[in-house]
Amino acid sequence: MTADQTFYGPDFGALQAQDPEIAGVLLSELDRVRSGLQLIASENLTSPAVLAALGSTLSNKYAEGYPGRRYYGGCSEVDKAESIGIERAKRLFGADHANLQPHSGASANQAVYGAFCQPGDTILAMSLPHGGHLTHGTKVSFSGKWFNAVHYGVNKDTEDIDYDQVRDLAREHKPKVIVAGGSAIPRLIDFQFFREVADEVGAIFWVDAAHFIGLVAGQAIPSPVPYADVVTFTTHKVLRGPRGGALVCKEEHAAKLDKAVFPMMQGGPLMHAIAAKAVNLGECLRPEYQTYARQVIANAQQLAASLGEKGIRPITGGTDTHLSLHDLQGVGVTGKDAEARSDAAGIVLNKNAIPFDPQPPNTASGIRVGTPSVTTQGMGTEQMKVIADLIHRAVTQTDGDPDHPVAKDVRAEVGDLVSRFPAYPRG
């Protein structure tokens, strides 16, 4: 087998013999990741150790319940894996309690609603067009169908969270739960402010830290854990773990949240994924992870600034985190076109609505860029300046045709860059 084939382990030959069609997809996806710039803010490159746990025999085990309290026999070994992961999560985040069973961030969020809300209760969260998340009361989501969602947004001048509006809406609507966090918020969130507002109106304070929890793990930004009743997150973004969800909470809410995860919202946990989460959490406890987390932010700040210099304006003027949101109106391109043009040039990013966007969401006036993957590959601030130039040329000088001369030039330069900072180095 080639080096690319052996990357998937000693059993890849069996997969190739039994199902060459799917084996080919695995190899072509590895090639796709290696050959382009991965700038999706919600993606990262897990370690081979995490991938090994995901592909393990723990995938076979049914383990409804929790360690020491299962509904099936034969759980002695998976109990060990989950217990190790729980203790690592508590240590990493300084939390009273952790639950690693949610299948996704949305599943973890669903458990919060299950623990603290009844259908029809009022929740207060950030609106999706201003940077929130689907599961924070958007009408197309279960959360918007089951609960009375009231939304705050950003201040039109600062483009950051309108904290006065948060307080005013909380006082007016007396929500059961107040949510902080979202999918496109470049600035730090004032968790102490939200805590004070929640206490004033008698609400549960929940932080959805899916996007930035990896920066918290790396001690690169302040933690919401001391302030929040519950913090939910995904494990596959900056945190650099397997695709999945988790939550940490105060001890007083532990039993209620555990019951909301299982048996209320989920059945059997994915034990191979929980083992992979444990591996990842162990990686996050190492000093080198903190270096990586700080570099993610430095890279994001440099990329945002360099794009701004080229007329692709960063919302809020920059970023404090791993992502930046950019307004394309100054260069006369929609987010939809920018995404397609970048993709044709070997650059993977996503269109994104900006606050007060005149375009519909599927077109959008902005793009969102993130630095977790390229930082994992070893790139630094000098490379971010190069990437900003490549994005600018792709967005403003091409038309989405991979054969466009400028697209071909940019793609060749992308290839040279990633060859010097490879994803999953060969051999």
Side-chain angles (χ1 to χ4, degrees):
M1 291 190 291
T2 67
D4 287 352
Q5 292 169 319
T6 56
F7 172 81
Y8 286 107
D11 296 326
F12 186 78
L15 172 62
Q16 205 164 30
Q18 179 176 319
D19 197 332
E21 190 173 11
I22 292 297
V25 171
L26 267 61
L27 292 174
S28 60
E29 170 62 7
L30 182 58
D31 183 63
R32 183 195 70 80
V33 170
R34 283 173 169 164
S35 62
L37 282 168
Q38 312 304 320
L39 298 173
I40 301 292
S42 50
E43 294 181 355
N44 211 333
L45 307 173
T46 65
S47 70
V50 168
L51 293 178
L54 280 173
S56 69
T57 56
L58 272 63
S59 179
N60 301 330
K61 192 70 195 85
Y62 229 118
E64 283 187 349
Y66 291 99
R69 297 176 288 125
R70 305 288 189 182
Y71 287 79
Y72 288 84
C75 292
S76 59
E77 300 310 306
V78 294
D79 276 4
K80 293 176 186 176
E82 186 166 357
S83 296
I84 290 169
I86 288 169
E87 290 306 311
R88 288 176 179 176
K90 290 164 60 177
R91 177 182 167 196
L92 182 65
F93 298 114
D96 295 339
H97 181 74
N99 189 311
L100 304 184
Q101 291 198 9
H103 300 334
S104 66
S107 296
N109 293 353
Q110 195 172 31
V112 176
Y113 292 118
F116 299 114
C117 297
Q118 295 294 324
D121 280 349
T122 297
I123 63 170
L124 177 61
M126 193 168 193
S127 71
L128 181 63
H130 285 203
H133 190 260
L134 279 170
T135 57
H136 298 174
T138 307
K139 290 299 182 184
V140 296
S141 163
F142 73 91
S143 56
K145 295 179 184 296
W146 295 352
F147 307 107
N148 174 40
V150 177
H151 288 115
Y152 58 88
V154 302
N155 179 287
K156 200 160 190 175
D157 294 327
T158 66
E159 298 179 311
D160 198 4
I161 294 171
D162 188 333
Y163 288 97
D164 290 337
Q165 185 186 38
V166 172
R167 181 185 285 110
D168 292 345
L169 290 173
R171 288 172 173 173
E172 178 183 356
H173 295 279
K174 299 293 190 297
K176 191 72 171 288
V177 171
I178 297 177
V179 191
S183 60
I185 304 173
R187 295 301 185 179
L188 297 179
I189 298 171
D190 187 341
F191 302 123
Q192 182 174 348
F193 172 87
F194 274 96
R195 176 75 265 170
E196 291 170 356
V197 171
D199 287 342
E200 179 184 339
V201 300
I204 290 291
F205 175 35
W206 159 31
V207 175
D208 183 345
H211 258 278
F212 58 82
I213 195 67
L215 302 175
V216 174
Q219 300 180 28
I221 64 171
S223 172
V225 173
Y227 301 99
D229 291 289
V230 56
V231 177
T232 58
F233 54 94
T234 54
T235 48
H236 53 268
K237 297 184 176 75
V238 184
L239 201 64
R240 204 161 57 183
R243 297 198 69 82
L247 63 84
V248 294
C249 67
K250 297 186 182 304
E251 185 60 41
E252 65 191 275
H253 304 307
K256 186 178 292 187
L257 282 159
D258 280 355
K259 289 177 182 177
V261 174
F262 172 83
M264 185 176 187
M265 298 298 178
Q266 293 184 178
L270 310 177
M271 296 311 305
H272 59 303
I274 289 174
K277 292 173 189 178
V279 172
N280 167 236
L281 293 165
E283 293 171 343
C284 294
L285 287 163
R286 298 171 186 164
E288 55 265 33
Y289 183 85
Q290 295 180 20
T291 302
Y292 149 79
R294 291 192 296 270
Q295 189 63 52
V296 167
I297 296 175
N299 284 350
Q301 291 174 335
Q302 181 62 66
L303 183 56
S306 295
L307 284 169
E309 291 168 3
K310 297 179 180 300
I312 302 178
R313 184 182 73 87
I315 298 296
T316 75
T319 181
D320 302 318
T321 65
H322 63 297
L323 65 83
S324 55
L325 185 62
H326 291 264
D327 181 359
L328 295 164
Q329 293 177 95
V331 294
V333 180
T334 67
K336 181 178 180 180
D337 285 342
E339 179 182 310
R341 293 177 185 185
S342 296
D343 190 65
I347 304 168
V348 183
L349 46 76
N350 65 277
K351 63 180 176 292
N352 210 100
I354 60 173
F356 312 104
D357 200 326
Q359 296 285 356
N362 286 335
T363 301
S365 296
I367 53 172
R368 186 185 67 167
V369 293
T371 55
S373 292
V374 291
T375 305
T376 293
Q377 290 174 242
M379 297 186 199
T381 53
E382 289 304 308
Q383 287 72 46
M384 297 308 109
K385 298 175 186 177
V386 174
I387 290 172
D389 180 66
L390 295 171
I391 292 172
H392 179 257
R393 286 160 57 198
V395 167
T396 63
Q397 299 176 30
T398 72
D399 58 8
D401 181 354
D403 292 324
H404 188 285
V406 176
K408 291 170 72 173
D409 288 345
V410 171
R411 198 162 59 246
E413 292 178 47
V414 167
D416 177 66
L417 178 59
V418 297
S419 71
R420 290 184 282 117
F421 297 92
Y424 298 117
R426 291 172 171 84

